[in-house]
Amino acid sequence: MKISFMLLRYFLFLLISFFLAPSGLYAIQVKVSLPIPVSTQHTVEGFDNSTLYGPSDFGLKVLTPVAKDTLMGLGLSLFRARVDDGEGVSSKYTGVLQAIMFKLGVEYSGIKFFTDYQLVLELTVDFPTGGPGWVENANGDEVSRAQSVSGSGYYVSTAIRWGHLEGGFFFRNNHLNYGEMTIPERDPNKEISLNFTSYGLVLSYLF
């Protein structure tokens, strides 16, 4: 319920911001993107020899022109990942990591191929605005829950646009810290934090 309220609040903020944009409502576009990671490197504070599953990050952005062939984007995405202790650890734990990410970026699409294709270059920074995170023991019992999420990250991509469809490659780097989320048996003062870089394919649709 809390996540739904936060998503609604930020979506309304995006709508109001762009209704007031000087470029006018007619210029607004909405873009839905799905990054598909191919490779990810990570470190997780608080877990031993950890394995990361995901991350997934389905997002939506509202775009408006700021210059010729240049769009500014504001958006939200839902980040999800899971981390497990690795082999050889006696007491194994699982961390469920989620966050609602606020995104601010720019896109440039001034390079055209033939008649129907455009090269789209994107640079975006993102910040977690909230979201749950918790740690479970081997029995599935919750031992700790995050009270806050902080951090930052960036995302770059190169894609080809054909009509409303886009396909290309992305690279991203993120740091997320989950406040007061710990593994008490190991260290009650060490908060769980995730650092990761990933690259892969991205598919998008422009409305």
Side-chain angles (χ1 to χ4, degrees):
M1 184 66 180
K2 185 177 180 181
I3 296 180
S4 299
F5 174 75
M6 294 177 65
L7 282 171
L8 178 61
R9 183 178 64 181
Y10 284 104
F11 184 70
L12 289 175
F13 168 76
L14 293 178
L15 287 179
I16 293 171
S17 298
F18 281 98
F19 268 113
L20 297 178
S23 54
L25 179 61
Y26 70 91
I28 292 175
Q29 295 176 294
V30 177
K31 184 176 182 178
V32 177
S33 298
L34 178 63
I36 305 171
V38 173
S39 178
T40 301
Q41 290 81 42
H42 74 280
T43 58
V44 183
E45 292 291 331
F47 283 82
D48 295 333
N49 192 25
S50 62
T51 300
L52 181 68
Y53 297 93
S56 64
D57 191 18
F58 180 77
L60 178 148
K61 290 192 303 182
V62 181
L63 302 168
T64 189
V66 292
K68 180 179 173 62
D69 299 318
T70 304
L71 301 173
M72 180 182 73
L74 288 175
L76 295 170
S77 67
L78 181 59
F79 171 86
R80 295 174 181 267
R82 193 180 93 241
V83 58
D84 290 338
D85 280 323
E87 296 297 328
V89 180
S90 57
S91 298
K92 290 192 175 183
Y93 291 88
T94 296
V96 179
L97 311 177
Q98 300 181 16
I100 299 170
M101 308 292 285
F102 175 77
K103 297 178 176 292
L104 172 64
V106 293
E107 293 187 8
Y108 177 74
S109 58
I111 303 174
K112 294 180 172 57
F113 296 95
F114 306 107
T115 304
D116 301 322
Y117 299 93
Q118 292 175 283
L119 179 66
V120 181
L121 306 175
E122 178 183 348
L123 172 61
T124 299
V125 294
D126 47 31
F127 308 93
T129 61
W134 64 90
V135 175
E136 298 174 349
N137 61 22
N139 297 322
D141 299 322
E142 183 179 308
V143 299
S144 179
R145 178 170 286 268
Q147 301 301 312
S148 63
V149 185
S150 60
S152 62
Y154 66 88
Y155 171 99
V156 294
S157 70
T158 302
I160 299 297
R161 179 180 295 164
W162 179 50
H164 295 280
L165 298 174
E166 289 183 15
F169 304 94
F170 78 90
F171 175 86
R172 67 180 299 179
N173 176 272
N174 284 85
H175 168 75
L176 297 171
N177 185 79
Y178 288 79
E180 300 184 41
M181 177 174 154
T182 66
I183 300 179
E185 181 182 278
R186 295 176 182 167
D187 188 343
N189 298 314
K190 178 180 281 188
E191 295 179 338
I192 304 300
S193 64
L194 168 65
N195 291 276
F196 74 92
T197 59
S198 65
Y199 64 87
L201 305 175
V202 60
L203 302 175
S204 303
Y205 188 85
L206 196 65
F207 294 91

PDB file of all heavy atoms in Angstrom, residues 151-180:
ATOM      1  N   GLY A 151      21.201   6.715  -1.875  1.00  0.00           N
ATOM      2  CA  GLY A 151      22.202   6.365  -2.868  1.00  0.00           C
ATOM      3  C   GLY A 151      22.049   7.178  -4.135  1.00  0.00           C
ATOM      4  O   GLY A 151      21.342   8.201  -4.171  1.00  0.00           O
ATOM      5  N   SER A 152      22.712   6.729  -5.197  1.00  0.00           N
ATOM      6  CA  SER A 152      22.651   7.420  -6.482  1.00  0.00           C
ATOM      7  C   SER A 152      23.172   6.485  -7.565  1.00  0.00           C
ATOM      8  O   SER A 152      23.708   5.408  -7.280  1.00  0.00           O
ATOM      9  CB  SER A 152      23.486   8.709  -6.455  1.00  0.00           C
ATOM     10  OG  SER A 152      24.858   8.404  -6.220  1.00  0.00           O
ATOM     11  N   GLY A 153      23.041   6.930  -8.815  1.00  0.00           N
ATOM     12  CA  GLY A 153      23.534   6.125  -9.920  1.00  0.00           C
ATOM     13  C   GLY A 153      23.424   6.882 -11.229  1.00  0.00           C
ATOM     14  O   GLY A 153      22.866   7.991 -11.286  1.00  0.00           O
ATOM     15  N   TYR A 154      23.978   6.280 -12.275  1.00  0.00           N
ATOM     16  CA  TYR A 154      23.848   6.865 -13.606  1.00  0.00           C
ATOM     17  C   TYR A 154      23.620   5.756 -14.630  1.00  0.00           C
ATOM     18  O   TYR A 154      23.951   4.592 -14.403  1.00  0.00           O
ATOM     19  CB  TYR A 154      25.066   7.712 -13.973  1.00  0.00           C
ATOM     20  CG  TYR A 154      26.351   6.936 -14.117  1.00  0.00           C
ATOM     21  CD1 TYR A 154      26.722   6.368 -15.331  1.00  0.00           C
ATOM     22  CD2 TYR A 154      27.214   6.790 -13.039  1.00  0.00           C
ATOM     23  CE1 TYR A 154      27.894   5.648 -15.473  1.00  0.00           C
ATOM     24  CE2 TYR A 154      28.396   6.086 -13.161  1.00  0.00           C
ATOM     25  CZ  TYR A 154      28.729   5.522 -14.379  1.00  0.00           C
ATOM     26  OH  TYR A 154      29.895   4.812 -14.503  1.00  0.00           O
ATOM     27  N   TYR A 155      23.057   6.167 -15.751  1.00  0.00           N
ATOM     28  CA  TYR A 155      22.655   5.228 -16.809  1.00  0.00           C
ATOM     29  C   TYR A 155      22.946   5.889 -18.145  1.00  0.00           C
ATOM     30  O   TYR A 155      22.567   7.051 -18.366  1.00  0.00           O
ATOM     31  CB  TYR A 155      21.163   4.932 -16.648  1.00  0.00           C
ATOM     32  CG  TYR A 155      20.509   4.161 -17.768  1.00  0.00           C
ATOM     33  CD1 TYR A 155      20.305   2.791 -17.662  1.00  0.00           C
ATOM     34  CD2 TYR A 155      20.065   4.799 -18.924  1.00  0.00           C
ATOM     35  CE1 TYR A 155      19.680   2.072 -18.677  1.00  0.00           C
ATOM     36  CE2 TYR A 155      19.446   4.096 -19.940  1.00  0.00           C
ATOM     37  CZ  TYR A 155      19.253   2.741 -19.812  1.00  0.00           C
ATOM     38  OH  TYR A 155      18.638   2.033 -20.815  1.00  0.00           O
ATOM     39  N   VAL A 156      23.631   5.186 -19.033  1.00  0.00           N
ATOM     40  CA  VAL A 156      23.881   5.689 -20.388  1.00  0.00           C
ATOM     41  C   VAL A 156      23.439   4.612 -21.378  1.00  0.00           C
ATOM     42  O   VAL A 156      23.559   3.407 -21.104  1.00  0.00           O
ATOM     43  CB  VAL A 156      25.363   6.050 -20.613  1.00  0.00           C
ATOM     44  CG1 VAL A 156      25.761   7.222 -19.745  1.00  0.00           C
ATOM     45  CG2 VAL A 156      26.266   4.857 -20.349  1.00  0.00           C
ATOM     46  N   SER A 157      22.927   5.041 -22.505  1.00  0.00           N
ATOM     47  CA  SER A 157      22.490   4.073 -23.514  1.00  0.00           C
ATOM     48  C   SER A 157      22.638   4.656 -24.912  1.00  0.00           C
ATOM     49  O   SER A 157      22.639   5.875 -25.110  1.00  0.00           O
ATOM     50  CB  SER A 157      21.033   3.649 -23.281  1.00  0.00           C
ATOM     51  OG  SER A 157      20.155   4.720 -23.583  1.00  0.00           O
ATOM     52  N   THR A 158      22.781   3.743 -25.853  1.00  0.00           N
ATOM     53  CA  THR A 158      22.793   4.063 -27.283  1.00  0.00           C
ATOM     54  C   THR A 158      21.794   3.144 -27.957  1.00  0.00           C
ATOM     55  O   THR A 158      21.880   1.918 -27.815  1.00  0.00           O
ATOM     56  CB  THR A 158      24.187   3.840 -27.898  1.00  0.00           C
ATOM     57  OG1 THR A 158      25.137   4.645 -27.203  1.00  0.00           O
ATOM     58  CG2 THR A 158      24.187   4.229 -29.364  1.00  0.00           C
ATOM     59  N   ALA A 159      20.836   3.729 -28.667  1.00  0.00           N
ATOM     60  CA  ALA A 159      19.769   2.916 -29.262  1.00  0.00           C
ATOM     61  C   ALA A 159      19.415   3.432 -30.641  1.00  0.00           C
ATOM     62  O   ALA A 159      19.705   4.586 -30.992  1.00  0.00           O
ATOM     63  CB  ALA A 159      18.534   2.915 -28.370  1.00  0.00           C
ATOM     64  N   ILE A 160      18.774   2.572 -31.421  1.00  0.00           N
ATOM     65  CA  ILE A 160      18.237   2.950 -32.725  1.00  0.00           C
ATOM     66  C   ILE A 160      16.719   3.042 -32.602  1.00  0.00           C
ATOM     67  O   ILE A 160      16.070   2.114 -32.110  1.00  0.00           O
ATOM     68  CB  ILE A 160      18.608   1.914 -33.803  1.00  0.00           C
ATOM     69  CG1 ILE A 160      20.125   1.808 -33.947  1.00  0.00           C
ATOM     70  CG2 ILE A 160      17.971   2.295 -35.145  1.00  0.00           C
ATOM     71  CD1 ILE A 160      20.794   3.083 -34.418  1.00  0.00           C
ATOM     72  N   ARG A 161      16.171   4.170 -33.034  1.00  0.00           N
ATOM     73  CA  ARG A 161      14.723   4.373 -33.006  1.00  0.00           C
ATOM     74  C   ARG A 161      14.143   4.176 -34.402  1.00  0.00           C
ATOM     75  O   ARG A 161      14.625   4.745 -35.377  1.00  0.00           O
ATOM     76  CB  ARG A 161      14.386   5.780 -32.498  1.00  0.00           C
ATOM     77  CG  ARG A 161      12.890   6.091 -32.464  1.00  0.00           C
ATOM     78  CD  ARG A 161      12.640   7.491 -31.954  1.00  0.00           C
ATOM     79  NE  ARG A 161      13.053   7.617 -30.564  1.00  0.00           N
ATOM     80  CZ  ARG A 161      13.246   8.790 -29.939  1.00  0.00           C
ATOM     81  NH1 ARG A 161      13.090   9.922 -30.608  1.00  0.00           N
ATOM     82  NH2 ARG A 161      13.603   8.805 -28.678  1.00  0.00           N
ATOM     83  N   TRP A 162      13.106   3.379 -34.451  1.00  0.00           N
ATOM     84  CA  TRP A 162      12.366   3.150 -35.697  1.00  0.00           C
ATOM     85  C   TRP A 162      10.891   3.317 -35.386  1.00  0.00           C
ATOM     86  O   TRP A 162      10.276   2.475 -34.748  1.00  0.00           O
ATOM     87  CB  TRP A 162      12.656   1.754 -36.247  1.00  0.00           C
ATOM     88  CG  TRP A 162      11.916   1.429 -37.499  1.00  0.00           C
ATOM     89  CD1 TRP A 162      11.844   2.193 -38.641  1.00  0.00           C
ATOM     90  CD2 TRP A 162      11.139   0.254 -37.759  1.00  0.00           C
ATOM     91  NE1 TRP A 162      11.068   1.574 -39.586  1.00  0.00           N
ATOM     92  CE2 TRP A 162      10.623   0.378 -39.076  1.00  0.00           C
ATOM     93  CE3 TRP A 162      10.834  -0.879 -37.016  1.00  0.00           C
ATOM     94  CZ2 TRP A 162       9.809  -0.596 -39.641  1.00  0.00           C
ATOM     95  CZ3 TRP A 162      10.029  -1.853 -37.594  1.00  0.00           C
ATOM     96  CH2 TRP A 162       9.523  -1.704 -38.898  1.00  0.00           C
ATOM     97  N   GLY A 163      10.332   4.443 -35.784  1.00  0.00           N
ATOM     98  CA  GLY A 163       8.954   4.752 -35.418  1.00  0.00           C
ATOM     99  C   GLY A 163       8.842   4.949 -33.912  1.00  0.00           C
ATOM    100  O   GLY A 163       9.494   5.817 -33.340  1.00  0.00           O
ATOM    101  N   HIS A 164       8.017   4.133 -33.261  1.00  0.00           N
ATOM    102  CA  HIS A 164       7.849   4.231 -31.813  1.00  0.00           C
ATOM    103  C   HIS A 164       8.733   3.249 -31.051  1.00  0.00           C
ATOM    104  O   HIS A 164       8.736   3.266 -29.818  1.00  0.00           O
ATOM    105  CB  HIS A 164       6.381   3.957 -31.453  1.00  0.00           C
ATOM    106  CG  HIS A 164       5.434   4.986 -31.975  1.00  0.00           C
ATOM    107  ND1 HIS A 164       5.233   6.210 -31.358  1.00  0.00           N
ATOM    108  CD2 HIS A 164       4.629   5.000 -33.079  1.00  0.00           C
ATOM    109  CE1 HIS A 164       4.358   6.910 -32.036  1.00  0.00           C
ATOM    110  NE2 HIS A 164       3.972   6.209 -33.093  1.00  0.00           N
ATOM    111  N   LEU A 165       9.463   2.416 -31.757  1.00  0.00           N
ATOM    112  CA  LEU A 165      10.261   1.390 -31.101  1.00  0.00           C
ATOM    113  C   LEU A 165      11.723   1.790 -31.001  1.00  0.00           C
ATOM    114  O   LEU A 165      12.256   2.471 -31.897  1.00  0.00           O
ATOM    115  CB  LEU A 165      10.154   0.065 -31.873  1.00  0.00           C
ATOM    116  CG  LEU A 165       8.775  -0.575 -31.971  1.00  0.00           C
ATOM    117  CD1 LEU A 165       8.834  -1.794 -32.891  1.00  0.00           C
ATOM    118  CD2 LEU A 165       8.275  -0.984 -30.588  1.00  0.00           C
ATOM    119  N   GLU A 166      12.383   1.360 -29.933  1.00  0.00           N
ATOM    120  CA  GLU A 166      13.811   1.571 -29.761  1.00  0.00           C
ATOM    121  C   GLU A 166      14.459   0.282 -29.274  1.00  0.00           C
ATOM    122  O   GLU A 166      13.873  -0.466 -28.480  1.00  0.00           O
ATOM    123  CB  GLU A 166      14.103   2.681 -28.733  1.00  0.00           C
ATOM    124  CG  GLU A 166      13.781   4.069 -29.189  1.00  0.00           C
ATOM    125  CD  GLU A 166      14.154   5.120 -28.159  1.00  0.00           C
ATOM    126  OE1 GLU A 166      14.921   4.790 -27.226  1.00  0.00           O
ATOM    127  OE2 GLU A 166      13.662   6.248 -28.263  1.00  0.00           O
ATOM    128  N   GLY A 167      15.670   0.047 -29.727  1.00  0.00           N
ATOM    129  CA  GLY A 167      16.449  -1.080 -29.246  1.00  0.00           C
ATOM    130  C   GLY A 167      17.917  -0.719 -29.258  1.00  0.00           C
ATOM    131  O   GLY A 167      18.394  -0.047 -30.183  1.00  0.00           O
ATOM    132  N   GLY A 168      18.645  -1.125 -28.208  1.00  0.00           N
ATOM    133  CA  GLY A 168      20.052  -0.768 -28.152  1.00  0.00           C
ATOM    134  C   GLY A 168      20.756  -1.379 -26.960  1.00  0.00           C
ATOM    135  O   GLY A 168      20.361  -2.425 -26.443  1.00  0.00           O
ATOM    136  N   PHE A 169      21.802  -0.679 -26.514  1.00  0.00           N
ATOM    137  CA  PHE A 169      22.656  -1.160 -25.438  1.00  0.00           C
ATOM    138  C   PHE A 169      22.720  -0.125 -24.320  1.00  0.00           C
ATOM    139  O   PHE A 169      22.607   1.080 -24.574  1.00  0.00           O
ATOM    140  CB  PHE A 169      24.069  -1.431 -25.964  1.00  0.00           C
ATOM    141  CG  PHE A 169      24.104  -2.399 -27.115  1.00  0.00           C
ATOM    142  CD1 PHE A 169      24.096  -1.932 -28.423  1.00  0.00           C
ATOM    143  CD2 PHE A 169      24.132  -3.766 -26.887  1.00  0.00           C
ATOM    144  CE1 PHE A 169      24.115  -2.824 -29.488  1.00  0.00           C
ATOM    145  CE2 PHE A 169      24.162  -4.662 -27.943  1.00  0.00           C
ATOM    146  CZ  PHE A 169      24.141  -4.183 -29.252  1.00  0.00           C
ATOM    147  N   PHE A 170      22.924  -0.609 -23.094  1.00  0.00           N
ATOM    148  CA  PHE A 170      23.013   0.309 -21.957  1.00  0.00           C
ATOM    149  C   PHE A 170      24.160  -0.099 -21.042  1.00  0.00           C
ATOM    150  O   PHE A 170      24.639  -1.237 -21.046  1.00  0.00           O
ATOM    151  CB  PHE A 170      21.703   0.328 -21.159  1.00  0.00           C
ATOM    152  CG  PHE A 170      21.529  -0.871 -20.250  1.00  0.00           C
ATOM    153  CD1 PHE A 170      21.990  -0.841 -18.932  1.00  0.00           C
ATOM    154  CD2 PHE A 170      20.923  -2.027 -20.702  1.00  0.00           C
ATOM    155  CE1 PHE A 170      21.847  -1.945 -18.107  1.00  0.00           C
ATOM    156  CE2 PHE A 170      20.770  -3.134 -19.891  1.00  0.00           C
ATOM    157  CZ  PHE A 170      21.240  -3.100 -18.589  1.00  0.00           C
ATOM    158  N   PHE A 171      24.591   0.875 -20.233  1.00  0.00           N
ATOM    159  CA  PHE A 171      25.546   0.652 -19.149  1.00  0.00           C
ATOM    160  C   PHE A 171      25.061   1.459 -17.959  1.00  0.00           C
ATOM    161  O   PHE A 171      24.634   2.614 -18.114  1.00  0.00           O
ATOM    162  CB  PHE A 171      26.947   1.104 -19.543  1.00  0.00           C
ATOM    163  CG  PHE A 171      27.941   0.999 -18.416  1.00  0.00           C
ATOM    164  CD1 PHE A 171      28.610  -0.187 -18.168  1.00  0.00           C
ATOM    165  CD2 PHE A 171      28.194   2.089 -17.591  1.00  0.00           C
ATOM    166  CE1 PHE A 171      29.522  -0.299 -17.121  1.00  0.00           C
ATOM    167  CE2 PHE A 171      29.104   1.995 -16.541  1.00  0.00           C
ATOM    168  CZ  PHE A 171      29.768   0.796 -16.306  1.00  0.00           C
ATOM    169  N   ARG A 172      25.131   0.883 -16.756  1.00  0.00           N
ATOM    170  CA  ARG A 172      24.679   1.603 -15.571  1.00  0.00           C
ATOM    171  C   ARG A 172      25.559   1.269 -14.379  1.00  0.00           C
ATOM    172  O   ARG A 172      26.186   0.203 -14.315  1.00  0.00           O
ATOM    173  CB  ARG A 172      23.223   1.270 -15.241  1.00  0.00           C
ATOM    174  CG  ARG A 172      22.984  -0.143 -14.793  1.00  0.00           C
ATOM    175  CD  ARG A 172      21.522  -0.399 -14.494  1.00  0.00           C
ATOM    176  NE  ARG A 172      21.020   0.448 -13.420  1.00  0.00           N
ATOM    177  CZ  ARG A 172      19.776   0.424 -12.984  1.00  0.00           C
ATOM    178  NH1 ARG A 172      18.896  -0.403 -13.540  1.00  0.00           N
ATOM    179  NH2 ARG A 172      19.401   1.212 -12.010  1.00  0.00           N
ATOM    180  N   ASN A 173      25.586   2.209 -13.433  1.00  0.00           N
ATOM    181  CA  ASN A 173      26.297   2.019 -12.175  1.00  0.00           C
ATOM    182  C   ASN A 173      25.429   2.589 -11.065  1.00  0.00           C
ATOM    183  O   ASN A 173      24.919   3.709 -11.182  1.00  0.00           O
ATOM    184  CB  ASN A 173      27.653   2.728 -12.219  1.00  0.00           C
ATOM    185  CG  ASN A 173      28.389   2.651 -10.896  1.00  0.00           C
ATOM    186  OD1 ASN A 173      28.200   3.499 -10.026  1.00  0.00           O
ATOM    187  ND2 ASN A 173      29.226   1.639 -10.741  1.00  0.00           N
ATOM    188  N   ASN A 174      25.247   1.830  -9.986  1.00  0.00           N
ATOM    189  CA  ASN A 174      24.386   2.273  -8.886  1.00  0.00           C
ATOM    190  C   ASN A 174      24.956   1.892  -7.533  1.00  0.00           C
ATOM    191  O   ASN A 174      25.629   0.863  -7.390  1.00  0.00           O
ATOM    192  CB  ASN A 174      22.987   1.671  -9.006  1.00  0.00           C
ATOM    193  CG  ASN A 174      22.141   2.327 -10.066  1.00  0.00           C
ATOM    194  OD1 ASN A 174      22.219   1.953 -11.233  1.00  0.00           O
ATOM    195  ND2 ASN A 174      21.344   3.315  -9.696  1.00  0.00           N
ATOM    196  N   HIS A 175      24.664   2.739  -6.560  1.00  0.00           N
ATOM    197  CA  HIS A 175      24.949   2.444  -5.155  1.00  0.00           C
ATOM    198  C   HIS A 175      23.660   2.658  -4.369  1.00  0.00           C
ATOM    199  O   HIS A 175      23.025   3.712  -4.467  1.00  0.00           O
ATOM    200  CB  HIS A 175      26.033   3.359  -4.589  1.00  0.00           C
ATOM    201  CG  HIS A 175      26.151   3.270  -3.100  1.00  0.00           C
ATOM    202  ND1 HIS A 175      26.742   2.191  -2.465  1.00  0.00           N
ATOM    203  CD2 HIS A 175      25.727   4.101  -2.111  1.00  0.00           C
ATOM    204  CE1 HIS A 175      26.681   2.382  -1.160  1.00  0.00           C
ATOM    205  NE2 HIS A 175      26.070   3.520  -0.916  1.00  0.00           N
ATOM    206  N   LEU A 176      23.250   1.645  -3.593  1.00  0.00           N
ATOM    207  CA  LEU A 176      22.050   1.729  -2.764  1.00  0.00           C
ATOM    208  C   LEU A 176      22.400   1.309  -1.345  1.00  0.00           C
ATOM    209  O   LEU A 176      23.032   0.262  -1.137  1.00  0.00           O
ATOM    210  CB  LEU A 176      20.948   0.811  -3.310  1.00  0.00           C
ATOM    211  CG  LEU A 176      20.410   1.129  -4.712  1.00  0.00           C
ATOM    212  CD1 LEU A 176      19.494   0.013  -5.191  1.00  0.00           C
ATOM    213  CD2 LEU A 176      19.681   2.462  -4.717  1.00  0.00           C
ATOM    214  N   ASN A 177      21.980   2.111  -0.384  1.00  0.00           N
ATOM    215  CA  ASN A 177      22.207   1.790   1.025  1.00  0.00           C
ATOM    216  C   ASN A 177      20.859   1.689   1.737  1.00  0.00           C
ATOM    217  O   ASN A 177      20.022   2.598   1.643  1.00  0.00           O
ATOM    218  CB  ASN A 177      23.052   2.867   1.698  1.00  0.00           C
ATOM    219  CG  ASN A 177      23.398   2.510   3.125  1.00  0.00           C
ATOM    220  OD1 ASN A 177      24.289   1.717   3.377  1.00  0.00           O
ATOM    221  ND2 ASN A 177      22.678   3.085   4.082  1.00  0.00           N
ATOM    222  N   TYR A 178      20.662   0.573   2.438  1.00  0.00           N
ATOM    223  CA  TYR A 178      19.392   0.315   3.119  1.00  0.00           C
ATOM    224  C   TYR A 178      19.565   0.562   4.617  1.00  0.00           C
ATOM    225  O   TYR A 178      20.161  -0.232   5.331  1.00  0.00           O
ATOM    226  CB  TYR A 178      18.928  -1.115   2.835  1.00  0.00           C
ATOM    227  CG  TYR A 178      18.447  -1.283   1.408  1.00  0.00           C
ATOM    228  CD1 TYR A 178      19.358  -1.438   0.365  1.00  0.00           C
ATOM    229  CD2 TYR A 178      17.097  -1.219   1.101  1.00  0.00           C
ATOM    230  CE1 TYR A 178      18.922  -1.549  -0.946  1.00  0.00           C
ATOM    231  CE2 TYR A 178      16.656  -1.338  -0.201  1.00  0.00           C
ATOM    232  CZ  TYR A 178      17.571  -1.497  -1.230  1.00  0.00           C
ATOM    233  OH  TYR A 178      17.132  -1.599  -2.521  1.00  0.00           O
ATOM    234  N   GLY A 179      19.046   1.727   5.053  1.00  0.00           N
ATOM    235  CA  GLY A 179      19.237   2.172   6.428  1.00  0.00           C
ATOM    236  C   GLY A 179      18.605   1.254   7.461  1.00  0.00           C
ATOM    237  O   GLY A 179      17.443   0.865   7.336  1.00  0.00           O
ATOM    238  N   GLU A 180      19.399   0.899   8.480  1.00  0.00           N
ATOM    239  CA  GLU A 180      18.974   0.058   9.609  1.00  0.00           C
ATOM    240  C   GLU A 180      18.616  -1.368   9.202  1.00  0.00           C
ATOM    241  O   GLU A 180      18.034  -2.110   9.992  1.00  0.00           O
ATOM    242  CB  GLU A 180      17.816   0.704  10.368  1.00  0.00           C
ATOM    243  CG  GLU A 180      18.171   2.067  10.954  1.00  0.00           C
ATOM    244  CD  GLU A 180      17.049   2.653  11.780  1.00  0.00           C
ATOM    245  OE1 GLU A 180      16.406   1.892  12.527  1.00  0.00           O
ATOM    246  OE2 GLU A 180      16.822   3.863  11.661  1.00  0.00           O
TER     247      GLU A 180
END
